[in-house]
Amino acid sequence: MTLLELRPLIIEWARDKELINLSIAPKQRLKLLEELGELARAVLLNNINLQKDAIGDIAVVLIILNEQTNSSLEFDFSKVTKSKETDLYEMLKMVSFLTNYLFCELSLLNDIANILGLDLEECANI
């Protein structure tokens, strides 16, 4: 499934769990930090399966966070230029943007997935 197809299913799941509530957005941001930590661990272990799982989890967290805050979310990655040749320092800068209070972009997560040689939609489906 594409991210656009997964989005309503993720939101429905989050509603069932009573997660779509602006008052718990700070907890969702902490969840984002937790998942980014899991991605860092997966990268350090060079474990592709854990990387895929973490990137998929981060996508879910970002979709929920954007729904909680009623903000728009970009699903067009046609302008993405990052590739596996981009170094981990560049990836770390992107991760810092993801943790910014007002900035949650799937396009950055897509860039991170590309740096790791992974496909964001495959990861989200996992």
Side-chain angles (χ1 to χ4, degrees), residues 69-123:
T69 59
N70 197 29
S71 56
S72 63
L73 197 57
E74 179 64 49
F75 287 90
D76 177 16
F77 308 133
S78 60
K79 300 174 197 150
V80 173
T81 59
K82 305 298 178 194
S83 67
K84 194 169 175 98
E85 288 75 38
T86 307
D87 65 14
L88 289 178
Y89 175 72
E90 184 70 19
M91 186 174 90
L92 180 60
K93 288 193 308 188
M94 286 183 255
V95 166
S96 71
F97 282 120
L98 279 176
T99 59
N100 184 317
Y101 181 79
L102 297 173
F103 192 76
C104 297
E105 283 295 331
L106 283 173
S107 60
L108 282 176
L109 184 58
N110 189 61
D111 286 349
I112 292 169
N114 287 338
I115 289 169
L116 296 170
L118 303 174
D119 178 79
L120 176 57
E121 288 187 337
E122 176 190 350
C123 296

